[in-house]
Amino acid sequence: MKEQVIIDQEKCIGCGLCVKDCASRVIIMEDKKACISSQACIKCGHCIAICPVNAFEITDLDADEIKDLSGLDIQLAPDKLHNVFRSMRTIRSFTNQAIPKEVITSIIDAGRYSSTSTNQQGVRYIVVQNDINLIEDMILGRLETFKKISTFVSKVRKLKYDLSKYDLSRGFVFRNAPLLLIAVSSHEVDGALASRNMELMSRAHGLGGLHCGIFTIIGNRTKKVKQELGLSKKEKFVACLALGYPAVKYQRTVPRRQAIVDWR
């Protein structure tokens, strides 16, 4: 079996930090040097990150991506970060300005660095620009059916969502956004974490957007949509971000309900 994790024994100083921090428990100490006892590694990279002498290599990952933290500005001021969260609003009105490819790539890269269960990194991304109308028409077709049913049912019982009052024309689902970024995964939490990272990075690039829950609900129940976007049987749409440059500007934050906290 090809080795996945390699330790440069010349560099290793036997500090043992990697052994204590290894989530897979595959690093042991032998003759005062760190050694790999098994290749059952989840490749989380903690050994690379913690080693004081940079003695580790994971062969199938790109070493050029490694950055020395001492040279990075990673300090976040809590009050400023809190203000970012407070100021974030769902955007439903966009300009016609095109989104550069490098910006899209940067946003996806933020998703790539999100946490995943057992470091599976099992989230993939679909970028939709040219086929937005095609995808929206598929969703609207299903919504029209639901609208007819709900209009009838609403006469005899109160519904949580009443579609009868909505105009289900193009723009209802994606709000005429110029870009859709869809997170696809078999693990919902992983995809949700990636989409949150992407949302934050999109705001850093001056974009706004909305989470299209209608798309994920209907898309996962519509074989035609899944086939059009190339999903396997095990995959599902976890999140869909409709993004663009905002055509509106909000002037202030808004209040929220108080957090319900159970202190124990």
Side-chain angles (χ1 to χ4, degrees):
M1 180 184 294
K2 182 180 179 181
E3 288 185 314
Q4 297 174 331
V5 183
I6 297 174
I7 305 174
D8 187 332
Q9 295 297 312
E10 293 292 325
K11 289 183 178 180
C12 180
I13 58 175
C15 65
L17 292 174
C18 55
V19 177
K20 295 178 182 178
D21 208 50
C22 179
S24 303
R25 298 293 184 263
V26 298
I27 307 176
I28 61 174
M29 296 299 295
E30 286 186 355
D31 298 326
K32 298 182 179 181
K33 294 282 187 177
C35 299
I36 302 299
S37 64
S38 164
Q39 289 298 322
C41 170
I42 64 172
K43 293 181 278 190
C44 64
H46 277 238
C47 53
I48 291 175
I50 203 168
C51 180
V53 292
N54 195 22
F56 282 83
E57 177 188 356
I58 299 179
T59 56
D60 55 349
L61 296 181
D62 186 1
D64 290 338
E65 289 191 342
I66 299 172
K67 306 293 182 184
D68 189 332
L69 289 179
S70 63
L72 297 180
D73 181 9
I74 58 173
Q75 182 62 44
L76 295 175
D79 56 339
K80 289 185 178 180
L81 184 59
H82 201 179
N83 285 338
V84 170
F85 293 139
R86 287 179 172 182
S87 66
M88 291 180 72
R89 306 248 52 81
T90 294
I91 302 298
R92 296 182 176 87
S93 182
F94 304 95
T95 70
N96 294 325
Q97 183 179 349
I99 303 174
K101 186 175 181 179
E102 58 269 22
V103 170
I104 300 172
T105 301
S106 173
I107 294 169
I108 293 173
D109 210 43
R112 185 169 68 95
Y113 274 94
S114 63
S115 301
T116 56
S117 176
T118 63
N119 197 43
Q120 292 179 43
Q121 300 181 49
V123 183
R124 70 181 184 90
Y125 309 92
I126 300 174
V127 179
V128 183
Q129 292 176 289
N130 300 322
D131 296 332
I132 293 178
N133 288 341
L134 173 65
I135 301 302
E136 184 162 27
D137 287 346
M138 293 180 184
I139 301 298
L140 288 172
R142 291 297 300 273
L143 279 176
E144 284 289 356
T145 300
F146 295 152
K147 181 177 180 178
K148 292 176 182 178
I149 296 172
S150 65
T151 299
F152 175 78
V153 173
S154 64
K155 295 177 181 179
V156 294
R157 59 177 293 188
K158 185 176 180 180
L159 299 176
K160 184 177 182 181
Y161 299 106
D162 183 6
L163 290 174
S164 62
K165 61 183 179 180
Y166 293 108
D167 175 17
L168 301 181
S169 57
R170 273 189 190 167
F172 174 76
V173 180
F174 301 131
R175 303 293 174 173
N176 299 310
L179 171 70
L180 305 180
L181 278 182
I182 303 172
V184 175
S185 180
S186 58
H187 197 292
E188 289 190 19
V189 173
D190 290 356
L193 290 170
S195 69
R196 185 55 168 172
N197 269 22
M198 291 195 296
E199 182 183 19
L200 289 169
M201 183 58 79
S202 72
R203 301 304 167 102
H205 282 289
L207 298 172
L210 71 153
H211 288 274
C212 300
I214 290 177
F215 168 81
T216 55
I217 292 171
I218 296 180
N220 282 320
R221 291 167 172 79
T222 307
K223 185 177 181 181
K224 190 175 180 181
V225 175
K226 297 182 77 172
Q227 287 179 336
E228 181 65 33
L229 293 174
L231 266 67
S232 68
K233 291 183 179 180
K234 292 183 178 181
E235 291 180 319
K236 54 188 171 184
F237 301 115
V238 177
C240 174
L241 286 173
L243 297 173
Y245 291 100
V248 293
K249 183 178 181 180
Y250 294 104
Q251 302 297 325
R252 58 197 59 82
T253 66
V254 299
R256 291 289 191 187
R257 297 188 186 96
Q258 292 297 312
I260 299 174
V261 183
D262 185 1
W263 297 94
R264 293 177 182 247

